[in-house]
Amino acid sequence: MVEDPPISKAVEVVLRAIPCSVALPAGAGKTELIAASVAKAAQQGGTCLVLTHTHAGVDALRRRMKKFGVASDQVVVRTIDSWSYDLIAHFPSLAGLVVSVVPDWSKSAEYHRAAAQAATSRAVGRMLKVSYTHLFVDEYQDCLVDQHELVLALAATVPTAVFGDPLQSLFNFRENRPVDWESDVLPKFPAVEIDHRPRRWEPNHPALGAWLVNIRQSLLKGLPVNLEGAPVRWVHRDNPRTYVQVCYQDLRLEGTTAVLGQFRPDCVKAASALKGTYLVMEAIDEKVTSTLAKQIDSDEGATVAKAVVEFAIECSSGLATHIRPDKRRRLGEGRSFTARSPTLQPAYEAVLRVRNDPTPEAVGAALHLLSKLPNVTVHCREAWNEVTRSVAVAATDGCSVSEALSRTRNHARVVGRRPTAHVISRPLLVKGLEYDHVIILNPEKYSAQELYVALTRGSKSVTIISDTVVLPPAAIASRHSKIAPRHSKILSPHPSLF
């Protein structure tokens, strides 16, 4: 039942205005509004399709649907990518595309275009009209143009409302073409104004919530952000390792903590300095693991052995002291690679077996023994587990490691991440997620959108480490801006996130 009076009023506005768009700040109850709208439609005998971008978003929406008592047969909640794939699989001739049994998410743009083509057909249009009374799309600021075209095709048949926040648009890099809210979204989905409040910070931290609402205009206008007197903790960066003590201190705080860098190397370096007390969150299509998988599949033994050792060292603390750079170099050159210490010998011998015969079984055994060496702590646990699971699948099923990695990632997309109390990540990967506490390492390097997303992740406290108490103006990144290439070193054109 829709019982919250403000939400009930907002629901009425949305359902009456469809087709429409709703732009709400972070933490203002957007997920709540979508779930309440679905609940109202269900009370009226409707069935809704709800689309979003990540499986974490799907999980959050489904949990909220349960809160409002929406039955499973009254709503379908999916990612845009997975729903597109299923539509094409059922109507390949209408879509003009035949898909493999296992989705290839590097072709997601093709999936969107093919699904849009199918959605414009008379047969699929009839199916949509019979199946759904409403379509709601979440995080619409993250839609790329091909996804937007798909939604427009669906909206021609199903009454549609889209929800988002232009200040949380983070996909403005490389070849990506995200929607422009003013020129792409509003002409098709006129804006409706909804009364809102910063719910995420109620009832115990209203000052933080109010401050985060107030700084939106400064960020949108490219103005500096003054932290003096703000309800956040500012820490002066005395040296490049100032964050280490801050992060160790916050381990004592109750609840979850996210430490936010900008790029993956920032996060890996910080995690190494923190000795594995915080774990690195990875993108679901992280290139480090896919590159290693391809090397195991195709390169000669010496190259694979060195790559495995370098991967293990990057993912852990303490291992580099056991395998020095000169030994790694000799390993890659096919020269002598031995250890005198009885403690190290089993791991060294396992690495040599990889060099002699680079099978998935040998790689898995070597990684296992390397992780068990004294004082070694794995901080890139997600990447490590992705590789070890993939080589195990390849060894069991006789497939390539790259194919096994694809299976592992598809499974991860469905089941999501294991909850981790202390993580190191970046704004792009934590958008849509909530933590009790957030520590921001390099706010001066962020775009305005990255800074806003980072600041709004913490529901209880926000710690900012910077050179000055006044953060310099942060530029708004757009598909037309020159900020975009900063990201291109790290992320693929269509990054896949949980």
Side-chain angles (χ1 to χ4, degrees):
M1 296 293 291
V2 184
E3 297 176 349
D4 186 342
I7 285 289
S8 298
K9 183 177 179 181
V11 167
E12 292 175 5
V13 171
V14 170
L15 295 181
R16 189 168 55 245
I18 283 178
C20 65
S21 62
V22 180
L24 289 175
K30 178 165 53 66
T31 305
E32 192 92 351
L33 176 57
I34 294 172
S37 299
V38 170
K40 185 65 174 179
Q43 290 174 15
Q44 298 171 347
T47 301
C48 299
L49 173 62
V50 181
L51 298 177
T52 188
H53 294 274
T54 69
H55 282 281
V58 169
D59 291 341
L61 284 162
R62 285 175 176 167
R63 287 194 299 270
R64 208 62 60 94
M65 301 299 171
K66 289 182 180 179
K67 171 186 172 181
F68 281 91
V70 179
S72 59
D73 61 351
Q74 295 174 313
V75 63
V76 174
V77 186
R78 300 287 300 278
T79 65
I80 297 175
D81 288 358
S82 62
W83 191 88
S84 299
Y85 170 83
D86 285 350
L87 183 67
I88 300 165
H90 283 90
F91 300 98
S93 60
L94 296 176
L97 180 66
V98 177
V99 292
S100 58
V101 175
V102 178
D104 180 355
W105 297 117
S106 67
K107 299 179 179 179
S108 58
E110 291 181 43
Y111 293 171
H112 303 148
R113 289 191 289 269
Q117 177 177 315
T120 59
S121 69
R122 185 175 300 177
V124 173
R126 285 198 298 265
M127 181 272 291
L128 292 170
K129 188 170 292 187
V130 170
S131 301
Y132 307 115
T133 57
H134 299 82
L135 167 63
F136 300 109
V137 188
D138 194 14
E139 302 290 355
Y140 207 76
Q141 76 281 344
D142 290 335
C143 275
L144 303 184
V145 170
D146 51 74
Q147 294 171 320
H148 177 56
E149 293 298 326
L150 169 60
V151 173
L152 291 179
L154 298 176
T157 301
V158 184
T160 300
V162 302
F163 301 77
D165 177 13
L167 195 51
Q168 295 185 67
S169 176
L170 298 183
F171 286 89
N172 299 285
F173 51 85
R174 284 187 82 176
E175 297 89 353
N176 283 349
R177 294 185 62 220
V179 293
D180 181 273
W181 201 267
E182 295 292 329
S183 61
D184 295 326
V185 180
L186 295 184
K188 302 296 183 180
F189 303 104
V192 293
E193 297 297 325
I194 300 294
D195 290 336
H196 58 83
R197 63 182 193 273
R199 294 168 176 265
R200 178 174 296 165
W201 299 274
E202 295 177 346
N204 297 321
H205 305 279
L208 177 56
W211 181 76
L212 291 168
V213 170
N214 291 336
I215 65 166
R216 284 178 63 88
Q217 288 304 311
S218 295
L219 293 171
L220 288 169
K221 295 177 180 179
L223 300 176
V225 176
N226 190 348
L227 303 177
E228 189 172 2
V232 299
R233 177 173 61 152
W234 176 67
V235 177
H236 179 247
R237 186 187 292 113
D238 295 317
N239 61 75
R241 289 178 58 86
T242 297
Y243 70 91
V244 174
Q245 182 178 1
V246 174
C247 292
Y248 277 141
Q249 289 174 345
D250 277 21
L251 288 172
R252 298 193 294 265
L253 296 176
E254 183 178 349
T256 56
T257 300
V259 178
L260 300 181
Q262 186 180 27
F263 299 136
R264 185 178 188 272
D266 307 333
C267 299
V268 173
K269 181 179 179 181
S272 179
L274 294 167
K275 308 297 183 185
T277 52
Y278 292 78
L279 301 182
V280 175
M281 178 186 290
E282 306 283 3
I284 193 62
D285 59 354
E286 177 52 53
K287 291 189 179 299
V288 169
T289 47
S290 58
T291 298
L292 180 60
K294 291 176 183 176
Q295 290 178 302
I296 298 170
D297 287 333
S298 59
D299 287 352
E300 62 179 12
T303 302
V304 173
K306 184 181 180 184
V308 168
V309 170
E310 296 287 2
F311 170 79
I313 288 173
E314 181 186 75
C315 288
S316 64
S317 303
L319 183 56
T321 60
H322 297 309
I323 309 178
R324 299 189 307 274
D326 61 315
K327 290 197 172 187
R328 285 176 246 156
R329 184 174 59 256
R330 291 201 298 269
L331 174 66
E333 294 171 350
R335 297 161 55 195
S336 173
F337 182 77
T338 59
R340 294 181 180 179
S341 167
T343 302
L344 301 182
Q345 284 176 358
Y348 270 65
E349 290 169 359
V351 172
L352 279 176
R353 285 193 288 273
V354 173
R355 190 171 75 178
N356 296 333
D357 187 14
T359 63
E361 295 94 331
V363 172
L367 287 173
H368 173 73
L369 289 172
L370 289 170
S371 71
K372 298 301 180 182
L373 290 177
N375 302 315
V376 171
T377 303
V378 176
H379 48 252
C380 295
R381 179 64 62 182
E382 289 183 358
W384 187 281
N385 288 346
E386 195 172 63
V387 170
T388 56
R389 288 168 184 159
S390 297
V391 296
V393 169
T396 302
D397 294 356
C399 62
S400 69
V401 179
S402 295
E403 182 181 343
L405 177 62
S406 180
R407 295 186 199 175
T408 300
R409 287 176 169 177
N410 285 333
H411 177 72
R413 282 183 168 94
V414 175
V415 302
R417 284 189 169 91
R418 290 184 178 180
T420 303
H422 303 99
V423 301
I424 298 183
S425 190
R426 3 173 191 155
L428 182 65
L429 301 188
V430 298
K431 192 175 67 65
L433 303 180
E434 179 182 330
Y435 298 87
D436 293 307
H437 312 282
V438 164
I439 303 170
I440 303 174
L441 303 184
N442 301 300
E444 303 98 331
K445 297 182 180 180
Y446 286 162
S447 68
Q449 293 100 316
E450 288 173 318
L451 181 56
Y452 180 68
V453 168
L455 289 169
T456 54
R457 294 311 94 194
S459 62
K460 295 181 179 178
S461 75
V462 175
T463 298
I464 302 166
I465 303 173
S466 62
D467 294 327
T468 61
V469 73
V470 179
L471 300 182
I476 290 285
S478 75
R479 70 187 187 205
H480 311 293
S481 74
K482 296 181 180 180
I483 297 177
R486 296 194 312 171
H487 301 265
S488 61
K489 300 177 183 178
I490 305 299
L491 297 162
S492 61
H494 288 269
S496 301
L497 315 178
F498 284 103

